[in-house]
Amino acid sequence: MRNVAQGPIAWRSELWGSPLRALATVLLLGLLAWAGFHAFEWGVVHAVFRPDAEACRAVQHGACWGVVAEKWRPMLFGRFPYEEQWRPAIAVVGLSAVTVLSAWPRSWRWWLAPLWGVALLLFVGLMHGGVVGLSVVPTSRWGGLPLTIGLAVVGLALAFPLALLLAMGRRSEWPVVRTLSASYIELVRGVPLISVLFMASFLLPLLWPTGWQPDVLVRVLMGLTLFVAAYLAEIIRGGLQAVPRGQTEVAMALGFGRWPVQRDIVLPQALRLVVPALTNSVVGTLKDTSLVTVVGLFELTGALGLALGGDPVWRPFYLEGYLFVAAVYWLLCFGLSRYSVWLERRLGTSSA
């Protein structure tokens, strides 16, 4: 109650507590009002919302949201066959629903793992086809939002167990395990993601046996998983080191084994402590999926280029298209950040 009561007073003191602060507040509010007025005028007052290219070209100082109304399907689904786009729509909704359910602590039960298996099978079955009469769609035609969500969710789901093993391995008492874990983490963290994607797409096929090579999407997913796992491992290791060593010693003195201590005492506390850092890594991974465009996979931003690059009628309105894509990314990232705040409060680790 004390923090709530002092909230408005603290805001008044920060914004108007001295003449210099008051002047800075007035200038900042004036700048925001000016920018907001012009943005509203450009984006709403003089904007064209219907899919009419001629009307868009006739407007000199207004946005053309008609490009979104005209091109939203290729922006969201890429080169997936137009008449079959209900399949990626259902696939991404199903995978997102399972992800949201997994974010609810009450659903952290044994049945969550088989549910994930069903969701992934449904996602691949709908996207690829070849089952229950669905036509086959090669991965080269997957794209847009389903590819972005799929790469981020599946990549993180595969990377987290590996990161957990690497983090524990780096703190192991066995020198060989500790050295191998640290070497892997430092090696992967020392190269940019784009180089990992290039290696997975172009170098790995040269090393693979002739006649048997994984699909490019599988190779990219492998590279993304291995890259993200190195960063998650260091975050988890930070949480493990923050747990007082005395708790481990007391538990082992009471007769607990090494693995039960890690599983039931150390890891739950460590993961609670690093929720903000884990969320930051998840948000970064979601945005990093845009880099797969350089290896020929057209996720959300790549699908925008495909939708507008080959159409001279709508090509001049890239700005509105990028703003639409940015809004989709912002909604996803903002939802993740709010979930992080909620989970911190739920787990009792928030400092607010």
Side-chain angles (χ1 to χ4, degrees):
M1 292 298 294
R2 183 178 180 182
N3 290 337
V4 174
Q6 288 184 351
I9 299 176
W11 273 89
R12 263 198 314 271
S13 175
E14 288 290 331
L15 297 176
W16 311 100
S18 67
L20 185 59
R21 289 184 180 181
L23 177 60
T25 300
V26 170
L27 291 176
L28 182 59
L29 290 176
L31 179 62
L32 291 176
W34 176 83
F37 171 77
H38 285 282
F40 182 79
E41 190 177 33
W42 176 81
V44 178
V45 177
H46 300 304
V48 175
F49 293 91
R50 63 185 184 277
D52 187 344
E54 292 295 331
C56 287
R57 281 191 289 268
V59 175
Q60 298 295 324
H61 303 289
C64 177
W65 302 118
V67 67
V68 178
E70 177 69 20
K71 296 289 187 177
W72 69 271
R73 289 183 67 164
M75 286 181 189
L76 291 181
F77 301 115
R79 294 184 294 182
F80 207 91
Y82 188 85
E83 65 279 1
E84 300 282 341
Q85 287 178 356
W86 59 271
R87 289 162 51 181
I90 296 177
V92 75
V93 168
L95 190 61
S96 301
V98 175
T99 303
V100 171
L101 180 63
S102 303
W104 192 30
R106 290 188 179 180
S107 67
W108 296 346
R109 300 291 187 270
W110 65 267
W111 47 263
L112 196 58
L115 181 62
W116 266 101
V118 172
L120 291 176
L121 288 176
L122 178 65
F123 182 86
V124 174
L126 287 171
M127 293 294 292
H128 185 266
V131 293
V132 294
L134 297 176
S135 60
V136 175
V137 178
T139 56
S140 59
R141 301 197 66 180
W142 297 12
L145 185 62
L147 185 59
T148 296
I149 297 294
L151 283 173
V153 171
V154 179
L156 286 164
L158 295 176
F160 191 83
L162 177 59
L164 196 59
L165 293 176
L166 288 170
M168 297 179 67
R170 191 160 186 178
R171 301 182 74 246
S172 173
E173 296 178 356
W174 299 339
V176 175
V177 174
R178 186 169 61 248
T179 302
L180 289 176
S181 299
S183 300
Y184 172 83
I185 292 172
E186 297 303 332
L187 176 63
V188 174
R189 290 202 309 161
V191 296
L193 175 58
I194 194 169
S195 65
V196 176
L197 297 178
F198 268 112
M199 291 177 61
S201 300
F202 303 117
L203 181 60
L204 188 60
L206 300 177
L207 305 176
W208 219 270
T210 304
W212 192 83
Q213 294 181 358
D215 186 85
V216 63
L217 179 59
V218 176
R219 300 198 302 268
V220 166
L221 182 60
M222 289 170 54
L224 181 66
T225 298
L226 296 174
F227 184 85
V228 172
Y231 284 85
L232 290 178
E234 284 298 275
I235 293 173
I236 296 173
R237 185 171 71 94
L240 293 173
Q241 292 183 169
V243 177
R245 191 175 184 85
Q247 295 189 19
T248 303
E249 296 173 350
V250 169
M252 295 187 69
L254 292 175
F256 285 89
R258 183 176 299 276
W259 292 112
V261 169
Q262 294 293 324
R263 184 189 63 225
D264 300 328
I265 299 175
V266 177
L267 279 177
Q269 296 183 73
L271 294 178
R272 286 191 186 99
L273 293 171
V274 296
V275 166
L278 287 175
T279 303
N280 185 61
S281 185
V282 170
V283 170
T285 302
L286 176 64
K287 293 186 292 184
D288 283 345
T289 57
S290 60
L291 294 175
V292 302
T293 304
V294 301
V295 294
L297 295 176
F298 299 98
E299 41 63 67
L300 197 55
T301 54
L304 172 64
L306 289 176
L308 301 184
D311 191 340
V313 176
W314 294 102
R315 191 183 302 159
F317 308 106
Y318 259 105
L319 175 60
E320 289 83 349
Y322 275 115
L323 289 175
F324 170 72
V325 170
V328 174
Y329 273 111
W330 182 85
L331 286 174
L332 294 174
C333 295
F334 181 73
L336 287 170
S337 68
R338 299 316 302 169
Y339 167 72
S340 173
V341 173
W342 175 82
L343 187 61
E344 287 181 68
R345 293 173 177 171
R346 176 70 179 255
L347 299 177
T349 58
S350 176
S351 60

